[in-house]
Amino acid sequence: MTKLKGCGLGLRSDFLLDLKHNNFSPDWWEVTPENWMHMPRVYEKAFEQEVFSKPTVAHGLSLSIGSIDKLNKEFVKKIKEFLDRYNIEFYSEHLSFSSLNNMQTYELLPLPMTKRMVNIISDRVKEVEDIIQRNLILENATYYLIPYANMREVDFINEVLEKSGAKMLLDVNNVFVNSVNHSFKARDFIDQIDKSKIAYMHIAGHYFDEESNLRIDSHGMPICSGVWKLLEYTLKQINAPVMIERDNNIPPLSELEKEYLHMKNIVKEVQNG
């Protein structure tokens, strides 16, 4: 797997056409295949210019790696075509499920944290990798309830990574959100995750919902101080590229650039000791 370097940003149609009028240029992009496989023609030239001019990774939404349904091989083949067309080596997906009885829910639903689920995911990872001819990267997801668990989240993820051979996309915001919602120490999770498996990392914004008394992973808010601090702690242990996810309430590019530069400064400060 090629070494990804520096800091990235999720490429969104909201600002794609503005990039040619702006000097802002992250080290690399992350794109969501489902959002770009059937893009309007108005975006095609600008999209190709960006993804062919710098390293680009893909982060999917619909693979449903934890589903007990049969793998949708036709969908995975379309993902491979997209990856091949744009010369994308990294393909990540959420450690969750989103389909049931072959119906797509378009939600990232929580998995039972059990040995049986470890085995199910491991088998499906191998199926996916046989088709895409790349390593699959799995992201720790947020969850607000757990169907059933006889393992801690960090142990579950470590076992999935070990048995499947998959790499990990470590979402620092998701660790923070889950730690608050489920009363565990985020730094303990970072200490105990298998650092040799980390391919790259995410940070994002979330909000507090007073009615449910939960932190909600929205990707639609500025990144809070707690997540920035956890990122700094994480970078001291894990030398991996990191990027910002912003999917909702996308601000002007100038505001995204400020957050991006703040992230770059944190990375630089940690690297310089």
Side-chain angles (χ1 to χ4, degrees):
M1 184 174 283
T2 302
K3 182 73 172 177
L4 194 65
K5 297 179 181 179
C7 295
L9 183 69
L11 183 60
R12 304 293 181 255
S13 60
D14 302 70
F15 58 78
L16 172 61
L17 299 181
D18 296 331
L19 289 169
K20 64 181 179 181
H21 306 298
N22 193 291
N23 292 325
F24 175 51
S25 181
D27 297 327
W28 48 276
W29 293 115
E30 182 188 77
V31 299
T32 299
E34 291 90 334
N35 292 342
W36 296 105
M37 285 193 291
H38 306 291
M39 74 183 87
R41 285 193 174 184
V42 67
Y43 295 121
E44 285 181 356
K45 185 176 180 180
F47 181 80
E48 290 180 357
Q49 182 175 340
E50 291 300 324
V51 300
F52 286 132
S53 67
K54 56 171 52 72
T56 300
V57 303
H59 183 51
L61 296 171
S62 310
L63 182 61
S64 196
I65 196 67
S67 176
I68 58 174
D69 293 339
K70 286 186 177 180
L71 181 68
N72 185 341
K73 293 184 178 181
E74 291 306 310
F75 170 75
V76 180
K77 288 176 183 177
K78 290 178 182 178
I79 292 292
K80 183 182 187 302
E81 290 173 4
F82 178 87
L83 300 176
D84 289 347
R85 178 178 179 182
Y86 295 108
N87 194 29
I88 297 173
E89 182 178 352
F90 281 40
Y91 173 54
S92 63
E93 253 286 1
H94 301 81
L95 191 53
S96 63
F97 78 101
S98 59
S99 63
L100 186 63
N101 295 327
N102 298 308
M103 297 291 291
Q104 184 60 243
T105 68
Y106 300 103
E107 296 288 345
L108 301 173
L109 302 171
L111 298 171
M113 297 182 193
T114 64
K115 296 279 188 181
R116 180 170 182 264
M117 183 52 64
V118 169
N119 292 331
I120 289 171
I121 293 169
S122 298
D123 290 343
R124 286 171 73 86
V125 166
K126 292 176 176 62
E127 278 192 275
V128 172
E129 290 183 340
D130 283 346
I131 296 172
I132 65 173
Q133 295 297 297
R134 293 161 172 82
N135 290 121
L136 182 61
I137 303 170
L138 297 175
E139 180 188 27
N140 56 301
T142 50
Y143 53 93
Y144 305 101
L145 56 84
I146 307 171
Y148 178 76
N150 55 22
M151 310 168 68
R152 297 183 308 160
E153 180 190 6
V154 68
D155 296 327
F156 174 71
I157 293 173
N158 281 339
E159 287 210 23
V160 167
L161 298 176
E162 177 65 26
K163 188 171 181 63
S164 69
K167 297 296 184 181
M168 183 179 183
L169 162 52
L170 176 61
D171 192 310
V172 175
N173 174 68
N174 290 356
V175 174
F176 182 89
V177 168
N178 287 343
S179 73
V180 175
N181 289 342
H182 301 288
S183 302
F184 65 84
K185 293 181 179 179
R187 291 190 175 193
D188 286 350
F189 183 102
I190 299 301
D191 292 342
Q192 295 163 21
I193 198 69
D194 186 348
K195 297 166 186 60
S196 69
K197 301 287 189 178
I198 309 301
Y200 70 107
M201 300 190 292
H202 275 174
I203 53 173
H206 65 269
Y207 69 92
F208 177 69
D209 181 69
E210 292 185 3
E211 184 175 351
S212 63
N213 197 36
L214 291 171
R215 303 264 180 161
I216 305 298
D217 178 34
S218 65
H219 298 179
M221 301 289 289
I223 297 161
C224 72
S225 61
V227 172
W228 286 123
K229 290 176 182 177
L230 185 60
L231 173 65
E232 183 176 358
Y233 180 82
T234 303
L235 286 167
K236 290 177 181 177
Q237 299 192 48
I238 302 172
N239 181 22
V242 58
M243 60 151 287
I244 293 174
E245 274 192 301
R246 187 67 181 259
D247 298 313
N248 301 301
N249 301 321
I250 295 179
L253 200 54
S254 58
E255 289 186 32
L256 281 177
E257 184 175 6
K258 288 178 183 177
E259 278 201 319
Y260 175 84
L261 292 175
H262 184 60
M263 174 177 63
K264 289 274 284 187
N265 286 335
I266 290 175
V267 171
K268 185 177 180 180
E269 288 173 5
V270 171
Q271 289 176 343
N272 291 339

